[in-house]
């Protein structure tokens, strides 16, 4: 038993208490903060009582548990600081995963790290690991507190942070980095119809953004947008980032990051300065329900941005949509039409956790998802096409767990609340789709040996054909020559670049004869120039 101290920000409260199983301790006001000390041992639960309201979570707690009465804060010691990983030996290739869906627990994920490394990805991006109510949420995008770790992902709930740190360390030992998806734009308290859990009961007026009628702003679509201008919100955000970085985490992806700029950019500037000091990568999802800021100057140099234009344009082009050749030329070279820094800012993806898996893009025809039911005979070929454009384009590539071996959600586009086989990785498919996995590995190796740069673009027989009905394009980049035929008939490509060329990869059988390659319908061929030629 030792003395524990709680300090919370509740500027309008008249009375605050800390309740434990042993009793209730009144807190003392110190300006806008309330401070209390109580006797407890590690593992004891406690909650806050404010002006006779419901039990509340301590927003600064280091651990959280779920009881039949609701979530409670848990007493535990601060965790030890661990180092970030050594610099990556090659530019990042990102593998997005959900802890429960991928390995059930942090420890279970460690067992599959060798698979990720064998495919060639060197960054794992974990979907949210802060505590959330899993009874109606699987993805984790409804946080209860920001600076703790979700206990249900650990075998020892009290020490979930240490088990996350063990996963991070195991990734570092394999030369990989770990990024976390963090959700600071709203909390799991949701709109006013849901119970107060923490900030709503402590400082609702300042912690959240409100309309003139008092209702919550809802540009997050989750009920309650936080106020990034509030100094206590900023303190909680920076506290959480620091705690996760102390576990060795190497980077952060900010969910609906545009909502964090509603203060004019002050919080983003603070996060940016901090990231430079800590040596971590920052990634923005540069949109929300009310604004779209992809490529805008509000994102400082050094931030990566999820490039959904890459996603949509690649999907459209590969399903044979017309009028996209000039756009694909931009996407392939890092979207210079969108980013001042070009490829240095673009995080390219064809799939992410929300929406269809890559496999399921080939099983349904949808204008919304720009997908096409290829039929069984072309499914593997189209999956190879997706990966080829993703991994041969300039920018940072990312794909979702299991896409490399055809993971399916049976066409489900939004399983945010589905915790079961539908949203879990089926590892038996890994052997069934080994040809795709081997192809992805070969692409990653090709990318690392020939980083995409110095692009020169061509058409099938000369200059790029940008006419509306054109569906083919070629380019030379760093001793690779890539030919893309999204047409439904074969196309003969002439290679105007000098050198001794050979076929390095192809998504369908291809043969190079002299300077001409016949590229099969709906396929991509990659040639490699021999050294010295």
């Amino acid at each position: 038993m030792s003395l524990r101290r709680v300090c919370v920000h509740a500027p309008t409260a008249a009375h605050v208490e800390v309740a434990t199983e042993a009793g209730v301790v009144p807190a003392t006001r110190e300006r806008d903060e309330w401070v209390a000390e109580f006797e407890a041992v590690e593992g004891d639960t406690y909650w806050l009582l404010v002006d006779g309201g419901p039990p509340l979570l301590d927003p600064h707690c280091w651990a959280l548990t779920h009881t039949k009465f609701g979530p409670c804060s848990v007493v535990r010691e601060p965790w030890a600081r661990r180092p970030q990983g050594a610099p990556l030996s090659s530019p990042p290739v990102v593998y997005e995963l959900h802890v429960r869906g991928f390995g059930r627990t942090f420890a279970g994920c460690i067992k599959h790290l060798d698979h990720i490394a064998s495919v060639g990805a060197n960054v794992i991006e974990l979907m949210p690991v802060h505590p959330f109510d899993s009874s109606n949420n699987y993805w984790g995008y409804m946080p209860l507190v920001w600076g703790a770790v979700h206990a249900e992902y650990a075998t020892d709930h009290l020490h979930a942070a240490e088990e996350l740190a063990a996963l991070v360390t195991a990734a570092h030992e394999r030369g990989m980095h770990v990024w976390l998806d963090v959700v600071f734009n709203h909390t799991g308290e949701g709109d006013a119809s849901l119970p107060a859990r923490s900030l709503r009961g402590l400082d609702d007026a300042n912690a959240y953004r409100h309309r003139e009628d008092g209702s919550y702003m809802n540009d997050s679509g989750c009920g309650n947008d936080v106020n990034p201008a509030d100094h206590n919100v900023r303190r909680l955000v920076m506290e959480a980032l620091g705690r996760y970085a102390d576990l060795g985490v190497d980077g952060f992806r900010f969910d609906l990051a545009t909502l964090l700029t509603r203060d004019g950019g002050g919080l983003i500037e603070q996060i940016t300065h901090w990231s430079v000091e800590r040596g971590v990568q920052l990634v923005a999802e540069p949109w929300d329900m009310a604004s779209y800021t992809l490529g805008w100057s509000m994102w400082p140099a050094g931030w990566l941005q999820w490039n959904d234009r890459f996603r949509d344009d690649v999907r459209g082009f590969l399903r044979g949509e017309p009028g996209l050749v000039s756009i694909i030329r931009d996407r392939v070279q890092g979207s210079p039409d969108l980013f001042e820094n070009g490829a240095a800012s673009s995080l390219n993806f064809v799939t992410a956790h929300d929406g269809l898996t890559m496999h399921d893009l080939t099983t349904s025809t949808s204008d919304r998802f720009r997908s096409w039911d290829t039929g069984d005979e072309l499914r593997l070929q189209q999956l190879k096409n997706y990966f080829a454009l993703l991994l041969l384009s300039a920018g940072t590539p990312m794909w979702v767990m299991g896409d490399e071996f055809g993971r399916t959600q049976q066409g489900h586009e939004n399983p945010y609340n589905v915790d079961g086989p539908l949203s879990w990785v089926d590892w038996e498919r890994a052997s069934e789709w080994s040809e795709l996995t081997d192809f992805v590995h070969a692409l990653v190796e090709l990318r690392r040996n020939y980083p995409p740069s110095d692009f020169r673009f061509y058409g099938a027989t000369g200059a790029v054909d940008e006419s509306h009905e054109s569906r083919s394009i070629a380019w030379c980049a760093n001793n690779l020559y890539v030919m893309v035929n999204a047409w439904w008939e074969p196309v003969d490509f002439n290679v105007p670049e000098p050198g001794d060329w050979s076929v390095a990869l192809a998504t369908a059988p291809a043969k190079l004869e002299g300077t001409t390659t016949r590229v099969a319908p709906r396929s991509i061929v990659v040639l490699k120039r021999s050294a010295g030629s």
Side-chain angles (χ1 to χ4, degrees):
M1 191 77 68
S2 60
L3 200 61
R4 308 289 173 161
R5 186 175 188 270
V6 168
C7 178
V8 294
H9 182 79
T12 63
H15 189 65
V16 177
E17 297 173 315
V18 177
T20 70
E21 295 181 6
V24 176
V25 176
T28 302
R29 184 167 194 143
E30 297 181 0
R31 297 183 179 178
D32 290 341
E33 313 292 317
W34 292 82
V35 180
E37 293 184 336
F38 60 98
E39 293 285 339
V41 298
E42 190 170 66
D44 283 352
T45 58
Y46 69 99
W47 56 96
L48 307 175
L49 300 174
V50 178
D51 295 339
L56 300 175
L57 294 164
D58 174 5
H60 301 282
C61 68
W62 289 83
L64 183 152
T65 191
H66 293 276
T67 73
K68 62 181 180 181
F69 305 108
C72 285
S73 302
V74 178
V75 173
R76 65 148 290 162
E77 300 298 328
W79 48 73
R81 181 168 177 172
R82 304 183 186 217
Q84 270 73 51
L88 295 174
S89 59
S90 58
V93 173
V94 184
Y95 189 98
E96 187 193 39
L97 67 86
H98 184 278
V99 171
R100 180 153 172 78
F102 188 72
R104 307 295 182 268
T105 62
F106 294 126
C109 289
I110 292 175
K111 297 178 182 178
H112 297 297
L113 286 182
D114 287 338
H115 165 77
I116 300 175
S118 71
V119 179
N122 58 2
V123 173
I124 58 172
E125 181 177 294
L126 304 181
M127 289 172 66
V129 300
H130 45 56
F132 62 94
D133 183 354
S134 57
S135 64
N136 63 357
N137 189 278
Y138 167 71
W139 279 349
Y141 286 97
M142 295 292 278
L144 292 170
V145 297
W146 288 328
V149 178
H150 192 56
E152 284 75 5
Y153 289 164
T155 57
D156 175 359
H157 286 191
L158 183 59
H159 295 100
E162 283 76 9
E163 296 193 25
L164 170 58
L167 170 58
V168 174
T169 297
H172 290 168
E173 290 171 349
R174 291 162 173 80
M176 304 166 70
H177 279 184
V178 176
W179 298 350
L180 290 189
D181 192 337
V182 287
V183 185
F184 297 133
N185 58 80
H186 69 280
T187 72
E189 290 175 298
D191 62 31
S193 68
L194 297 177
R197 295 297 193 191
S198 185
L199 294 182
R200 179 180 297 156
L202 293 167
D203 188 19
D204 181 76
N206 296 305
Y208 299 106
R209 298 170 58 238
H210 299 265
R211 302 184 183 94
E212 290 185 3
D213 64 2
S215 63
Y216 291 117
M217 298 291 290
N218 188 27
D219 294 341
S220 64
C222 296
N224 57 345
D225 301 348
V226 302
N227 176 16
D230 179 61
H231 77 276
N232 188 56
V233 166
R234 291 187 180 188
R235 178 173 64 175
L236 289 168
V237 167
M238 300 311 300
E239 177 182 84
L241 289 173
R243 288 183 181 182
Y244 294 137
D246 283 349
L247 295 175
V249 171
D250 307 285
F252 299 90
R253 179 264 190 188
F254 292 80
D255 177 68
L256 300 180
T258 307
L259 283 169
L260 301 183
T261 70
R262 294 292 200 271
D263 61 352
L267 178 55
I268 292 297
E269 182 179 2
Q270 186 176 357
I271 292 170
T272 303
H273 288 317
W274 171 85
S275 73
V276 173
E277 295 174 357
R278 289 302 299 260
V280 298
Q281 178 65 56
L282 303 177
V283 184
E285 182 182 36
W287 54 78
D288 57 57
M289 299 285 285
S291 60
Y292 183 82
T293 63
L294 181 69
W296 287 22
S297 60
M298 67 171 57
W299 301 111
W303 281 72
L304 287 169
Q305 299 173 48
W306 271 31
N307 187 350
D308 64 330
R309 294 279 296 278
F310 183 96
R311 175 197 67 193
D312 294 345
D313 293 335
V314 165
R315 289 183 183 185
F317 183 66
L318 287 179
R319 79 169 186 159
E321 292 179 17
L324 290 177
V325 169
S326 63
I327 294 173
I328 286 297
R329 177 162 59 179
D330 281 331
R331 298 296 158 260
V332 162
Q333 57 184 321
S335 296
D337 59 325
L338 301 175
F339 304 111
E340 182 178 351
N341 295 326
S345 297
S346 185
L347 189 146
N348 302 328
F349 63 103
V350 176
T351 53
H353 60 271
D354 52 348
L356 300 176
T357 67
M358 197 179 290
H359 172 277
D360 293 352
L361 289 175
T362 71
T363 62
S364 66
T365 299
S366 164
D367 290 340
R368 177 186 173 193
F369 293 109
R370 300 179 79 166
S371 61
W372 169 52
D373 184 353
T374 62
D376 293 342
E377 67 278 4
L378 286 180
R379 182 154 294 117
L380 176 61
Q381 183 171 314
Q382 184 75 332
L383 289 171
K384 289 179 178 180
N385 290 338
Y386 284 136
F387 272 109
L389 280 191
L390 175 66
L391 288 165
L392 296 175
S393 295
T396 297
M398 180 192 78
W399 73 86
V400 185
M401 62 180 191
D403 271 352
E404 72 280 7
F405 52 76
R407 184 174 73 91
T408 179
Q409 292 174 169
Q410 305 302 321
H412 200 308
E413 66 189 62
N414 189 27
Y416 75 94
N417 60 351
V418 180
D419 183 2
L422 180 76
S423 53
W424 297 347
V425 170
D426 177 6
W427 288 99
E428 292 184 2
R429 290 178 72 91
S431 58
E432 299 172 19
W433 289 81
S434 59
E435 181 179 344
L436 177 61
T437 309
D438 292 344
F439 185 80
V440 174
H441 169 75
L443 276 168
V444 175
E445 286 299 302
L446 204 61
R447 175 188 180 87
R448 290 198 170 130
N449 292 329
Y450 303 91
S453 60
D454 302 322
F455 288 84
R456 295 181 296 279
F457 289 89
Y458 303 95
T461 58
V464 179
D465 179 2
E466 296 184 3
S467 65
H468 185 70
E469 292 303 323
S470 174
R471 290 171 174 82
S472 62
I473 189 172
W475 66 87
C476 185
N478 197 8
N479 290 318
L480 294 182
Y481 197 85
V482 183
M483 296 163 284
V484 185
N485 177 19
W487 191 251
W488 39 87
E489 298 289 343
V491 173
D492 290 333
F493 282 77
N494 182 60
V495 182
E497 292 274 341
D500 183 12
W501 296 94
S502 60
V503 176
L505 287 173
T507 64
K511 185 177 182 181
L512 172 63
E513 295 183 351
T515 62
T516 301
T517 304
R518 172 154 290 193
V519 179
R522 311 275 195 179
S523 74
I524 298 173
V525 177
V526 184
L527 306 180
K528 178 173 61 176
R529 181 160 43 196
S530 63
S533 66

